[in-house]
Amino acid sequence: MKKCIIQILLLIFPMLNFAQKLDIPKQSVYQVRDKMEIQTLNGKWKFKYVENKNIPSSLAGFTEVSFDDSSWEYITVPSNWETEGFKTPQYGADIVEAWGLYRTTFKANPAWSNKHVILRFDGVLFGYEVYVNGHYAGKWGSSFNPCQFDITPFIYFDRPNVLAVKVTTRTMGWRFDLNDCWALAGIFRDVELFSVPDLHLKDVTFVSQLKGNECATLTFKVDVGTFETTISDRQYRAQILFYDKVGHQLFSSSQPIKLQDNHQSLQFTCELEHPHLWTAETPYLYRMEVRIVNNKNEVVQQVYENVGVREVIVKDGILMVNNTPVLLRGTCHNEIDPIRGRALTDTDRQNQLKMMKAANVNFIRTAHYPFHPNFHKMCDEMGFYVCCEVPFGYGDSNLYKAEFTTELCTRAEATLTRDKNHPSIIMWTIGNENPYTEVVEKVVQYVKLKDPTRPRALPMAGHYFMENRERLSDNLDIYAFHYQSPQAVVKIADLKEKPVITTEYSHSLGLAFDVLESQFDTILSRKNIAGGAVWCWSDQALLRNRTVDDFMRDSVVMGVWIDSLRYLDSFKDKGTDGIVYADGYPQEDYWQLRKVYSPVIVRERDINVRKGEQMINFTVENRFNFISLVGYHCNWSVRNLSKELCRGTVDLKAQAQQIENIPLQITLPTEIENDDCMLYLSVTDYRGMPVYEKSVSLLVNNQKTDYTNLLSRVPDQKRFKVRKTSTTLSVEGENYLFTVDREGQITIQDGNKRKLVDSPLYLRVGRKPSINIENFLMRKKVFGWNPYILEPEVMDFKCMEEKDKVSAILYCKWLRVDKVDEYVEGKVCFSVSKSGLVSVDYDLKPYHATGTLWECGLTLTLHPSVETFRWLGNGPYTSTPGKTVYNERDIWALHKDDIHFIGNRGEVDVAVLLDNENTGIGFIGSASDLAVEKIGDAIYMTDNAIVSSYGTKLSQPVVNNKADKVDNMRGKFTLLVMGKDGNVLLTPVFSPYQEVLPNRHFLKSYGH
């Protein structure tokens, strides 16, 4: 034991020595956050914007009380210059040298006349100087950290005070506050006043250490001090009071204050039996009150905070909270709003966190800076694990210069001082994707010295981490890296050296999120892979105005159009990496994350059943780390298509990390339409909020429903009139007219000769240009075909007539337009039966082809009057390899003007595309990939033979159908005319037809 203590001291002493050598400013007054004790200075201030290296001489005296600011404009504080219209927004490392001059007046609270008045700025981009009544009060240069100024010598109590602030985009460390996001400037967080007595609280630190889980040692470190005067011994005492959430006092203690050099550190400890432990699943908060009282027991100063009893440790290479391994289902997050910039409101934060809760997120990385203090308070209350980041982003070249050590340690000091008592913060990360230098290591050491109770990590670019892992010091407790393959993550985890957290993974550029499912499976595969944070929660966009001409010229949407004039500007593809849009509206990626991150999982995909009364079983997995599913409910129903057969509710009770078997008593009738039955499950939490949904196929007599068997049920029509020529085949029945000609033109009409299909025999070889496809093209990684819908060149045309059907066989070639000598060629057969069904069978192959076939299959254009798409299959969102888990089998419907309309739908058995009179085209496949897209005013329908993944910004598609590797592409499907005068074969599947209205949240957006 003595040897161990000596080794620890040897490690600590060098860190103490280096820390003592640094001139790091520390707060002299503990933060006061009680609203009743604060005077806000938020509001309208006078403002002057100067875009220049120097401030004009005419403005040099703006700090003086007598300065005339009557000609200045007003600006809202907090806000950003850009969102208030004073400056053009810039992105990334590009921000001009500029100044923002602020002035306001305020009246000081007369009750503070015998106290010290403290002025606090919670956040200013980028650096600033403060003047009160013409007197210089101080300066600060870390944008996302607060700074407090004692303005007592300069303040008036008998007349208004003038506060002037000079904000600049240039400070010593200004580049550290730039990242891959909008570079906004200004006073963007609260400006507040509060007062403290001469003898005051300088700092308060709360730490809890568990003894098992039945007892906790609570430690309260209280620093007190005075500004100038000396107090007599035993005149004052420091008190600690500790309460549970319903106000019962659990602990109280006091100690006399005996100052030395105007300062004293006091420590209180207590043993708390049977504590309510804080976790993200059980966010129980105690109330801590810290007081200074005089000899009459009168309160001189008092602060209170809500704190959580919990302990974070690394044991055997595993990250543990309260002695239990935790699974971090995380997201990176930025503080930005399209209208308010970085000046978010508490309502904004509350709404974001509620959406995260609903998406089953339990871990947030504050990328790449500490957030507003109220954010962390909300995380404490709502239950989130937080990785709080010491802020330095860009400015890598400065990390090799010793003179920046103090600057960065100052940022660490400010970050930890403000946030160290939040139970939600379970780890500190230092910077983002920076080189590991001696300067950085010293910051790591400083963070460890300041707070040894939490683990530390350096988030690194994946390749850099792999090259430098062995250099990392033992002061880092966690391996944190970005965008590595599942194989690479497993390789590092299997070293069993430290916990692994992928602090960025599954980059969601546009709708490219197809590695999420496989990478989260990797996280689940190892206990020492603690989890990860997807990039990113929301798009980083600003609301801008554009002209109609700009709107019309956009061929590929790099942002989101609210209407023809207003645009959510993400700086092309730079900021379009959220799973929700900038305004908070969920993308389909949000729903994918919600399903992948669900803490409740049903494992079965199908269950064998028989007709009649029976017992069936399914299993529920509880992935929570701490809580059981007691209070959770599983609502279930058995349906035959849209007809409900039986339903019920089951109370769940699986313990944490356990599996529960659920028996259900059901009865299936003897007559079941198409023998198609599904078990629909919906799990809700104790508040009744939805958590998870699953559809499970019930296989009657162990047989999956094959809808192609329906074709034999259709009777022959009395009329079957065939016209054949060397260039045309025409078939007319009682309610349809089908025509195909030598040019590859397909026409299908109903019995009233109304055209439903009038289309060349198109071939889809790709997708609508999206932001991710454009990104691939720019990086020359993956090439698609452009245009991606090709017209046919028919090389041969034959007609064949048999007993029950007539066929047209076309040998076609589809030439690539953007490259010569590349094409797809093959045979397409249209067969029309006497029952009026049109069967389509094709067998195609690429020749001399290069690039990626994002999707490929025969495509037909429907008449513009056709406006709704209903299908029985997986939905409601697009289905591509790697993006499937968020879809469930059911009957779905979309309007062609819906923002979610475009895309491939998976495992489609049947579909109907109808006009507003429910006349149109029916489709019968066999677990087909069926894609739809609105081009102009018409729906293009594609039976996809192959479908590629989206890929991500930083990785190739999970499934990449490269044209030179693709062999034969085959497909088979059947079309029929639907309507009151058409075929009714599919009517029982989709009836009753409900009105389908489009979701038009945006006019248009990337990916749609």
Side-chain angles (χ1 to χ4, degrees):
M1 176 62 74
K2 289 182 178 178
K3 182 179 179 181
C4 179
I5 293 172
I6 291 170
Q7 288 176 337
I8 292 172
L9 290 173
L10 289 173
L11 288 172
I12 292 176
F13 281 152
M15 289 191 283
L16 285 170
N17 290 335
F18 110 80
Q20 289 168 354
K21 292 177 183 178
L22 298 175
D23 184 20
I24 298 173
K26 299 182 179 180
Q27 69 174 16
S28 60
V29 174
Y30 190 61
Q31 55 185 341
V32 173
R33 297 283 178 183
D34 186 346
K35 292 181 179 179
M36 302 304 294
E37 303 293 331
I38 288 171
Q39 177 181 339
T40 181
L41 299 186
N42 295 347
K44 294 292 185 180
W45 293 31
K46 284 299 187 79
F47 181 73
K48 184 71 173 180
Y49 175 67
V50 179
E51 194 166 299
N52 205 316
K53 288 186 177 182
N54 300 301
I55 298 175
S57 58
S58 60
L59 299 174
F62 90 99
T63 62
E64 299 299 324
V65 173
S66 59
F67 182 83
D68 182 7
D69 60 14
S70 60
S71 63
W72 287 18
E73 296 183 73
Y74 283 97
I75 191 171
T76 299
V77 171
S79 70
N80 291 116
W81 303 343
E82 295 81 359
T83 55
E84 294 284 299
F86 292 101
K87 178 183 176 298
T88 301
Q90 294 175 277
Y91 192 94
D94 297 323
I95 186 166
V96 297
E97 195 161 350
W99 304 84
L101 310 182
Y102 292 78
R103 285 172 58 90
T104 190
T105 60
F106 66 92
K107 291 183 178 180
N109 187 340
W112 295 353
S113 60
N114 293 321
K115 295 183 178 182
H116 279 252
V117 179
I118 309 299
L119 170 65
R120 179 173 59 227
F121 291 81
D122 269 323
V124 180
L125 284 153
F126 286 76
Y128 56 104
E129 295 179 359
V130 178
Y131 298 83
V132 178
N133 296 322
H135 299 280
Y136 175 73
K139 66 178 180 179
W140 185 247
S142 183
S143 301
F144 298 97
N145 292 124
C147 191
Q148 299 180 159
F149 304 90
D150 183 356
I151 61 172
T152 309
F154 319 124
I155 201 168
Y156 302 133
F157 288 93
D158 58 350
R159 56 186 182 272
N161 296 276
V162 176
L163 172 61
V165 183
K166 179 166 60 178
V167 179
T168 176
T169 60
R170 293 295 185 272
T171 63
M172 179 179 179
W174 68 278
R175 292 188 185 277
F176 294 139
D177 290 322
L178 294 170
N179 292 281
D180 185 7
C181 55
W182 287 104
L184 307 179
I187 303 174
F188 70 100
R189 288 183 183 163
D190 301 313
V191 183
E192 296 170 330
L193 294 171
F194 63 92
S195 69
V196 294
D198 183 55
L199 175 64
H200 59 276
L201 297 168
K202 296 185 68 173
D203 198 13
V204 177
T205 304
F206 171 80
V207 175
S208 55
Q209 187 174 9
L210 303 186
K211 297 179 177 179
N213 283 344
E214 297 303 316
C215 180
T217 300
L218 310 185
T219 302
F220 309 82
K221 182 185 176 186
V222 179
D223 291 333
V224 297
T226 62
F227 290 97
E228 295 176 358
T229 60
T230 302
I231 65 169
S232 60
D233 289 347
R234 300 182 182 178
Q235 187 176 1
Y236 296 92
R237 300 182 68 83
Q239 294 183 343
I240 293 290
L241 299 95
F242 199 71
Y243 300 87
D244 66 15
K245 68 187 303 181
V246 294
H248 295 146
Q249 188 179 108
L250 305 176
F251 169 75
S252 65
S253 182
S254 68
Q255 294 183 30
I257 294 175
K258 299 180 179 180
L259 298 180
Q260 290 185 352
D261 297 326
N262 292 346
H263 176 267
Q264 184 182 3
S265 290
L266 303 102
Q267 184 164 299
F268 302 79
T269 60
C270 80
E271 301 293 313
L272 182 63
E273 299 290 336
H274 308 295
H276 296 282
L277 299 182
W278 188 98
T279 71
E281 299 164 21
T282 58
Y284 189 98
L285 294 174
Y286 292 89
R287 179 183 172 95
M288 171 183 71
E289 292 187 7
V290 185
R291 297 174 180 170
I292 296 175
V293 297
N294 61 21
N295 56 1
K296 297 180 181 179
N297 209 33
E298 296 169 332
V299 176
V300 176
Q301 187 188 6
Q302 173 179 276
V303 297
Y304 70 88
E305 289 183 42
N306 291 330
V307 295
V309 176
R310 64 104 181 92
E311 185 177 19
V312 183
I313 62 171
V314 172
K315 184 178 180 181
D316 299 327
I318 296 174
L319 179 67
M320 307 181 92
V321 174
N322 303 337
N323 300 310
T324 301
V326 289
L327 174 63
L328 304 178
R329 307 185 301 271
T331 180
C332 295
H333 188 27
N334 278 282
E335 279 196 318
I336 191 166
D337 178 85
I339 297 174
R340 287 177 286 277
R342 303 209 181 278
L344 273 67
T345 66
D346 281 349
T347 300
D348 295 331
R349 298 181 186 96
Q350 196 84 30
N351 290 339
Q352 290 172 345
L353 291 173
K354 285 180 180 178
M355 282 194 69
M356 290 182 191
K357 266 299 182 194
N360 298 314
V361 168
N362 72 350
F363 173 59
I364 301 169
R365 177 185 175 217
T366 62
H368 303 290
Y369 42 80
F371 284 10
H372 190 284
N374 288 351
F375 171 86
H376 297 289
K377 181 180 177 183
M378 292 175 187
C379 289
D380 295 342
E381 296 167 349
M382 297 176 67
F384 287 95
Y385 300 119
V386 176
C387 161
C388 188
E389 205 137 283
V390 175
F392 53 99
Y394 289 168
D396 285 355
S397 62
N398 294 329
L399 301 180
Y400 296 91
K401 302 173 184 177
E403 59 266 32
F404 282 90
T405 304
T406 299
E407 167 75 20
L408 293 173
C409 286
T410 297
R411 290 166 176 252
E413 168 71 25
T415 300
L416 273 64
T417 296
R418 193 197 73 175
D419 293 333
K420 62 182 181 296
N421 290 336
H422 287 288
S424 57
I425 298 176
I426 62 168
M427 61 183 289
W428 306 110
T429 47
I430 296 96
N432 175 61
E433 296 186 348
N434 308 109
Y436 179 56
T437 67
E438 184 177 346
V439 171
V440 172
E441 172 58 23
K442 287 184 177 180
V443 181
V444 173
Q445 292 176 18
Y446 189 88
V447 171
K448 181 176 182 177
L449 181 65
K450 179 79 176 176
D451 180 12
T453 70
R454 290 179 176 90
R456 297 152 298 283
L458 288 177
M460 291 183 169
H463 64 88
Y464 186 86
F465 171 84
M466 296 300 179
E467 295 167 1
N468 292 274
R469 177 184 60 82
E470 295 181 357
R471 293 202 303 121
L472 301 179
S473 79
D474 290 337
N475 295 313
L476 295 164
D477 304 287
I478 293 171
Y479 285 149
F481 51 84
H482 302 164
Y483 308 117
Q484 287 295 287
S485 68
Q487 296 80 6
V489 175
V490 166
K491 182 179 179 181
I492 296 300
D494 285 347
L495 295 174
K496 298 184 178 179
E497 296 173 339
K498 297 179 181 181
V500 172
I501 298 178
T502 52
T503 36
E504 288 180 27
Y505 81 105
S506 193
H507 193 293
S508 178
L509 176 65
L511 300 182
F513 211 38
D514 64 11
V515 299
L516 171 67
E517 296 173 20
S518 62
Q519 290 192 335
F520 194 70
D521 285 342
T522 300
I523 289 171
L524 293 173
S525 72
R526 301 290 192 280
K527 279 288 186 184
N528 63 331
I529 306 178
V534 298
W535 188 272
C536 185
W537 174 252
S538 69
D539 285 353
Q540 302 171 71
L542 299 176
L543 183 62
R544 308 285 296 278
N545 292 326
R546 290 293 209 62
T547 69
V548 175
D549 289 342
D550 289 334
F551 173 76
M552 299 304 293
R553 279 199 298 267
D554 269 1
S555 58
V556 178
V557 179
M558 289 293 188
V560 176
W561 286 100
I562 305 298
D563 50 41
S564 62
L565 294 179
R566 294 180 303 148
Y567 178 72
L568 292 178
D569 186 357
S570 303
F571 198 69
K572 298 184 178 179
D573 68 332
K574 296 296 185 181
T576 53
D577 41 20
I579 62 171
V580 303
Y581 292 105
D583 68 341
Y585 188 78
Q587 301 175 11
E588 62 178 38
D589 294 345
Y590 171 90
W591 302 108
Q592 184 186 7
L593 186 82
R594 175 181 178 271
K595 184 62 73 70
V596 169
Y597 277 3
S598 176
V600 183
I601 299 292
V602 174
R603 293 186 164 187
E604 285 77 10
R605 292 177 57 86
D606 52 60
I607 300 173
N608 296 330
V609 296
R610 66 182 188 280
K611 296 177 180 179
E613 186 176 345
Q614 62 205 285
M615 184 75 71
I616 64 173
N617 295 272
F618 65 91
T619 53
V620 173
E621 178 183 353
N622 179 0
R623 289 182 176 175
F624 283 117
N625 297 120
F626 298 96
I627 65 172
S628 74
L629 296 184
V630 173
Y632 281 63
H633 306 285
C634 181
N635 303 302
W636 62 271
S637 68
V638 175
R639 295 209 318 256
N640 169 214
L641 302 174
S642 58
K643 180 181 179 181
E644 186 173 272
L645 304 179
C646 49
R647 66 182 303 163
T649 299
V650 176
D651 297 333
L652 302 179
K653 56 187 178 183
Q655 295 301 304
Q657 297 290 296
Q658 297 298 312
I659 294 172
E660 175 182 8
N661 182 66
I662 305 295
L664 291 182
Q665 186 75 32
I666 67 170
T667 301
L668 299 184
T670 55
E671 296 296 326
I672 301 174
E673 186 75 37
N674 303 328
D675 279 352
D676 192 339
C677 280
M678 298 291 297
L679 172 64
Y680 294 95
L681 305 171
S682 174
V683 176
T684 57
D685 66 11
Y686 61 93
R687 299 163 300 176
M689 300 300 292
V691 175
Y692 177 78
E693 299 78 34
K694 182 70 176 284
S695 62
V696 180
S697 295
L698 300 181
L699 306 182
V700 179
N701 299 325
N702 201 23
Q703 295 293 314
K704 179 176 173 59
T705 302
D706 184 354
Y707 275 83
T708 61
N709 293 333
L710 292 179
L711 303 178
S712 61
R713 300 184 190 177
V714 183
D716 290 348
Q717 297 189 8
K718 294 179 181 180
R719 184 193 305 172
F720 187 66
K721 188 174 182 180
V722 178
R723 297 185 182 90
K724 293 186 297 181
T725 70
S726 59
T727 60
T728 305
L729 171 65
S730 176
V731 184
E732 185 176 2
E734 295 174 5
N735 56 14
Y736 71 92
L737 173 61
F738 170 81
T739 304
V740 57
D741 65 21
R742 180 69 174 73
E743 301 301 317
Q745 188 72 20
I746 313 298
T747 304
I748 301 177
Q749 302 177 55
D750 66 9
N752 296 317
K753 299 297 188 292
R754 182 169 51 173
K755 289 183 179 179
L756 303 174
V757 175
D758 188 9
S759 170
L761 185 55
Y762 289 122
L763 181 69
R764 175 184 291 274
V765 290
R767 299 189 182 114
K768 178 182 177 181
S770 69
I771 198 163
N772 200 51
I773 290 176
E774 289 296 305
N775 174 67
F776 280 132
L777 291 174
M778 287 186 288
R779 295 190 296 123
K780 300 182 179 179
K781 293 291 185 181
V782 178
F783 298 90
W785 292 29
N786 185 31
Y788 59 94
I789 293 180
L790 307 179
E791 293 197 23
E793 177 184 310
V794 180
M795 299 178 292
D796 194 14
F797 177 85
K798 296 179 180 179
C799 294
M800 296 175 55
E801 191 166 0
E802 303 174 44
K803 179 181 178 182
D804 297 321
K805 65 180 180 180
V806 61
S807 303
I809 301 173
L810 291 78
Y811 294 88
C812 301
K813 177 186 290 186
W814 291 268
L815 297 172
R816 183 171 182 174
V817 176
D818 55 337
K819 287 194 175 183
V820 297
D821 299 328
E822 296 189 22
Y823 57 91
V824 176
E825 185 178 289
K827 180 178 74 172
V828 182
C829 179
F830 290 90
S831 297
V832 186
S833 68
K834 289 185 177 180
S835 57
L837 303 176
V838 180
S839 296
V840 185
D841 197 339
Y842 60 94
D843 188 348
L844 313 176
K845 184 176 181 178
Y847 288 90
H848 315 296
T850 60
T852 291
L853 298 173
W854 295 104
E855 296 176 15
C856 192
L858 286 188
T859 301
L860 297 174
T861 309
L862 306 185
H863 191 271
S865 63
V866 175
E867 57 186 23
T868 61
F869 170 45
R870 294 173 171 86
W871 74 100
L872 173 60
N874 291 344
Y877 304 107
T878 60
S879 181
T880 56
K883 292 189 71 171
T884 59
V885 72
Y886 58 169
N887 286 320
E888 299 293 342
R889 187 175 188 270
D890 204 341
I891 297 171
W892 305 99
L894 286 172
H895 192 280
K896 66 181 180 181
D897 291 329
D898 195 288
I899 63 171
H900 296 296
F901 181 75
I902 185 174
N904 183 74
R905 266 63 185 191
E907 299 190 30
V908 176
D909 289 317
V910 292
V912 291
L913 296 100
L914 306 175
D915 61 17
N916 58 13
E917 295 180 358
N918 295 326
T919 297
I921 293 293
F923 171 97
I924 300 176
S926 181
S928 300
D929 281 306
L930 184 61
V932 290
E933 179 180 353
K934 179 187 174 186
I935 301 177
D937 203 32
I939 296 175
Y940 283 57
M941 178 185 71
T942 302
D943 176 77
N944 272 323
I946 59 173
V947 179
S948 295
S949 307
Y950 280 95
T952 73
K953 180 178 181 179
L954 302 168
S955 63
Q956 295 282 323
V958 172
V959 174
N960 185 358
N961 289 297
K962 294 183 178 180
D964 60 344
K965 303 296 183 183
V966 171
D967 198 3
N968 291 66
M969 300 178 292
R970 299 183 178 93
K972 187 173 184 178
F973 58 94
T974 300
L975 302 176
L976 60 155
V977 173
M978 297 288 298
K980 59 184 180 181
D981 297 322
N983 205 302
V984 295
L985 179 66
L986 301 181
T987 301
V989 176
F990 298 101
S991 64
Y993 292 125
Q994 303 290 337
E995 183 179 14
V996 180
L997 299 175
N999 177 348
R1000 295 295 304 274
H1001 187 76
F1002 300 119
L1003 182 60
K1004 64 175 182 174
S1005 75
Y1006 56 80
H1008 298 301

